[in-house]
Amino acid sequence: GKSPDELAELTPGYLKQTPPDSFTGKPIVYRRDAKGCLLYSLGPNATDDAGARDRAAGTDDIAIRLGPVPAP
């Protein structure tokens, strides 16, 4: 009924392991906020741009936004 606080909470029940970031080899970033959850890779620059992707600004994270989980 709610999003996990950490992605690791989904292992091993839903995920075999926390997926690695293809650019850093470390676990992908997962953050909960008021809008839901943000799951992202640090992108080719391997810098945490807080999930932002804007060429003009030099940010290149690859992110997926998941909306809030509806109340049961």
Side-chain angles (χ1 to χ4, degrees), residues 7-39:
L7 202 55
E9 291 177 30
L10 300 177
T11 61
Y14 295 96
L15 299 171
K16 187 174 183 178
Q17 64 184 30
T18 303
D21 183 326
S22 298
F23 297 97
T24 66
K26 296 178 182 178
I28 56 176
V29 179
Y30 171 82
R31 293 193 178 142
R32 285 181 51 191
D33 59 26
K35 296 178 186 176
C37 303
L38 186 62
L39 186 65

Side-chain angles (χ1 to χ4, degrees), residues 1-3 69-72:
K2 75 171 190 80
S3 300
V69 175

